[in-house]
Structure formats: C-alpha cells, structure tokens
Amino acid sequence: MFSYRHAFHAGNHADVLKHTVLLAILRHLLQKDTALTVFDTHAGAGLYRLDGDYAATSGEAGNGFLRLVLALNSPVVPVNQARTATKSVAIPKTTADTVAPALKDYLDLVASFNNKGSHKVYPGSPFIIQRLLGERDKLKLFEIHPTDAKTLSANIAQLEAGRQVAVLREDGFEGLKKFLPPPSRRALVLCDPSYEIKTDYARVVAMMADALTRFATGSYAVWYPIIPRPEAHDLPRKLKTLATKAGKPWLNATLTVKSSKLTSDEAGEVIRPGLPASGMFVINPPHTLKAALQLALPQMAEVLGQDKHASFTLESGG
Ligand code: SAM
C-alpha cells in the first residue's frame, strides 16, 4: 500500500501553487449559470491540521502557506511553524497592500476555515472546491487509500452536502472515465497524484488522452513535481503535445523555491533538498487565468523562494 500521506505536505509551496491556480480557475468557471461538475481524481483527506503530528513532523507549511501569512503580516502564526518559516526569509516586497488578487483570494479562503488570526486548519482541494460550489454544481472525489478515504468521508459528512458531493474509494485514473462527459457538459478535472509510483506519470498522460477524446471541452488541471527524473521532465511536454493535437489551449505555470542539487552537511552526510519545484498544467484554462498568474507567480517566488534558484515560469499556447 502507498505510504504517501498528504498530511505531511499540506500547505507546502506546491499546495500554494496548486490551490491558488485551482481557486482562480473555479472563480471563473463558476460565474456561468450552467451547472459545473468538478472531479478531484486524487482527493486526499480533505482537511488537515497544521499543528497536528503529521504537519509538525515535516513543517512543510512553514515554508509554504505559513510563510506567505508571515510575509503579509497576518497576526498569529503557531510558534513552532513560524520558526521554520523565518529561518532564511529575506524581507519580501510583497505585502498585504501589494499582494496579487489571486494570492489574496487563496489566503482569504484558507483563513475562512480558521478562527480569526489562527492558522491551524488547512483545507485540501476537496474543501476548497466544495466551499465555492453553488447548489446546482457537483463534486466527485476519488481517494484510493483506505485511511485517507475514511477520513475524507468523515470530513465530507460533516458538511451535510447530501448528493452534491460523492466520495469514491476507487482509482481516480480509471474512475473518471465513466463520468465523462457530464450531463451539463461543463466540468473541471483536478488530477493531483502523489507520483509515489513511477507509473503515475504515464497514467496521467493516458487519463488525459482518454478524457480529451471523451470530453474535449472540459477544463483539466494537472499538478506535477519538478524533480530530476526523466518521467517528471517529460510530463508537461507530453501534456502539451496532447493539448496541441486536440487543438485545445493550454497553460503551464511552474514555481521553483530552491535548487534541486544534493548538498552535504558538515559530517559529509548527503542532504536531499526535498521537493524543489512543481507545476500546474491546465488544458482549456479560463481566459482570465494567465493574467491572474502573471501577478501572483512572481510574488510566490519572491516570498517562498529559499535560495537564488527561486523562480517561476508561465507559458501558454493553442
Ligand atoms: N488533491 C489533494 C489536495 O490538494 O488537497 C492532495 C492529494 S495527494 C497529493 C494524492 C492522494 O492521492 C493521496 O491521498 C493518495 O492516497 C491518493 N491516491 C494515490 N493513488 C491514487 C489513485 N490511483 N486513485 C485515487 N487516489 C489515489
């Protein structure tokens, strides 16, 4: 069974990128009157505690969401997280007054899950999506890990959202097929695997190829890690080819927070850098997305950057 638990990573720099992009897409898609169905093929547990055992063990939110909060002078940050967050922060130019609208929207949304001034709860994609949906919209969540699926079901049950939200304890790559195209012919698919197994890269491409055949006008957002591994390197290139062949527009946003090089400590022990960068590849992006990210991405790189390799890219085509 897989060992990846998103609770270790909740609120990290990859979540900041992923959830800011997700939110910006949803804001646009939900302006229309026709019902939208959102599919989250790899949903996770839905809600995370940033002061819980998992998050405290890795402290990844300290270099992600909490670092943003700190930079923008939000009042309270849990002490242990704040320390991680301040370790090597250069004083950023991004402030509460200058923060990009998409980033502010993201921070406000996460804040809405917390008591004023506290940052204990971090919403995963299922809760971010559900918070925005209207009555006519639907959300289908796939989660294959028994523990996370159980936690997700329990978290979702508390929303009393009835038939609007369905939790499916099944493989998201395969499970998506039976729902495309959705009755309203409007959908967003978020595909956010853990890439714990190498075959996930090929399965993303196969799922996207199949989905575009079944439902070419849907919006698709794929998160991917940028790590020194051929499959990871090839993924955005393959998605670009798929979109181009289908004649559909695409957008690729990446955020790098540090070098991917291995270093060593004083004792000569190799230090792995952890995840240095990630990307969101969107097919059929809303026309407003690029402009929103042009403002938000430089700020993410500025605030979340940990060394001189911090950077972003924003490409689009089709
Ligand atoms: N999308 C979530 C968020 O943004 O809050 C995080 C998801 S996490 C990166 C990936 C999740 O996918 C893990 O909880 C893992 O158990 C689950 N998973 C792995 N393989 C899967 C599969 N084939 N189908 C559905 N879920 C899967």
Side-chain angles (χ1 to χ4, degrees):
M1 187 36 77
F2 307 121
S3 62
Y4 179 95
R5 303 273 56 78
H6 193 67
F8 286 110
H9 311 286
N12 69 359
H13 62 85
D15 267 7
V16 173
L17 172 68
K18 181 203 316 171
H19 294 153
T20 302
V21 173
L22 172 67
L23 188 53
I25 296 174
L26 280 169
R27 288 281 184 217
H28 183 83
L29 292 181
L30 289 166
Q31 279 171 11
K32 295 232 169 88
D33 286 337
T34 327
L36 182 76
T37 306
V38 186
F39 300 93
D40 192 344
T41 59
H42 296 71
L47 271 184
Y48 306 95
R49 287 202 65 106
L50 295 182
D51 58 350
D53 286 348
Y54 287 113
T57 306
S58 73
E60 288 193 24
N63 278 325
F65 164 72
L66 292 170
R67 188 157 165 158
L68 268 179
V69 170
L70 205 66
L72 302 181
N73 282 328
S74 245
V76 183
V77 176
V79 173
N80 59 337
Q81 307 279 355
R83 223 179 284 130
T84 325
T86 46
K87 222 187 261 168
S88 58
V89 187
I91 295 172
K93 291 189 281 298
T94 307
T95 66
D97 295 331
T98 59
V99 64
L103 211 46
K104 174 152 181 13
D105 196 16
Y106 159 74
L107 288 166
D108 287 349
L109 189 85
V110 179
S112 73
F113 286 88
N114 286 281
N115 293 328
K116 202 167 186 306
S118 131
H119 305 286
K120 289 183 176 163
V121 175
Y122 188 84
S125 50
F127 273 69
I128 292 177
I129 299 163
Q130 197 277 337
R131 177 61 66 89
L132 268 66
L133 297 184
E135 271 175 30
R136 60 193 177 191
D137 306 312
K138 297 263 186 288
L139 174 57
K140 309 246 181 262
L141 304 167
F142 297 91
E143 174 53 54
I144 209 168
H145 194 284
T147 311
D148 280 356
K150 205 169 152 201
T151 311
L152 178 64
S153 296
N155 283 333
I156 291 291
Q158 287 187 28
L159 291 170
E160 298 184 356
R163 293 173 57 172
Q164 182 184 51
V165 186
V167 178
L168 300 118
R169 295 182 189 201
E170 54 184 272
D171 180 272
F173 292 122
E174 275 302 310
L176 179 67
K177 291 181 182 168
K178 58 179 175 277
F179 292 109
L180 296 184
S184 68
R185 301 198 77 89
R186 293 190 69 235
L188 168 66
V189 177
L190 171 66
C191 180
D192 178 26
S194 42
Y195 298 95
E196 198 182 356
I197 33 177
K198 215 164 64 173
T199 49
D200 273 3
Y201 295 94
R203 295 195 76 196
V204 168
V205 177
M207 187 200 85
M208 286 302 306
D210 177 80
L212 283 170
T213 311
R214 290 171 195 270
F215 183 44
T217 53
S219 291
Y220 298 90
V222 177
W223 178 86
Y224 61 94
I226 301 177
I227 48 176
R229 155 168 231 164
E231 296 84 0
H233 181 77
D234 286 348
L235 183 56
R237 197 177 48 73
K238 288 185 174 166
L239 293 174
K240 216 177 283 179
T241 304
L242 277 181
T244 308
K245 276 195 183 148
K248 297 297 170 196
W250 56 269
L251 177 149
N252 187 24
T254 72
L255 174 67
T256 300
V257 299
K258 59 184 171 183
S259 162
S260 62
K261 292 224 162 60
L262 299 179
T263 50
S264 54
D265 64 14
E266 283 160 14
E269 289 290 320
V270 172
I271 303 172
R272 298 189 178 278
L275 181 70
S278 71
M280 277 289 268
F281 195 98
V282 187
I283 298 182
N284 292 322
H287 68 87
T288 46
L289 186 62
K290 190 168 185 186
L293 295 179
Q294 261 160 352
L295 297 176
L297 279 169
Q299 296 192 341
M300 286 185 209
E302 178 188 51
V303 178
L304 303 182
Q306 295 174 35
D307 63 27
K308 63 177 182 179
H309 296 272
S311 60
F312 69 93
T313 64
L314 183 58
E315 259 191 298
S316 59

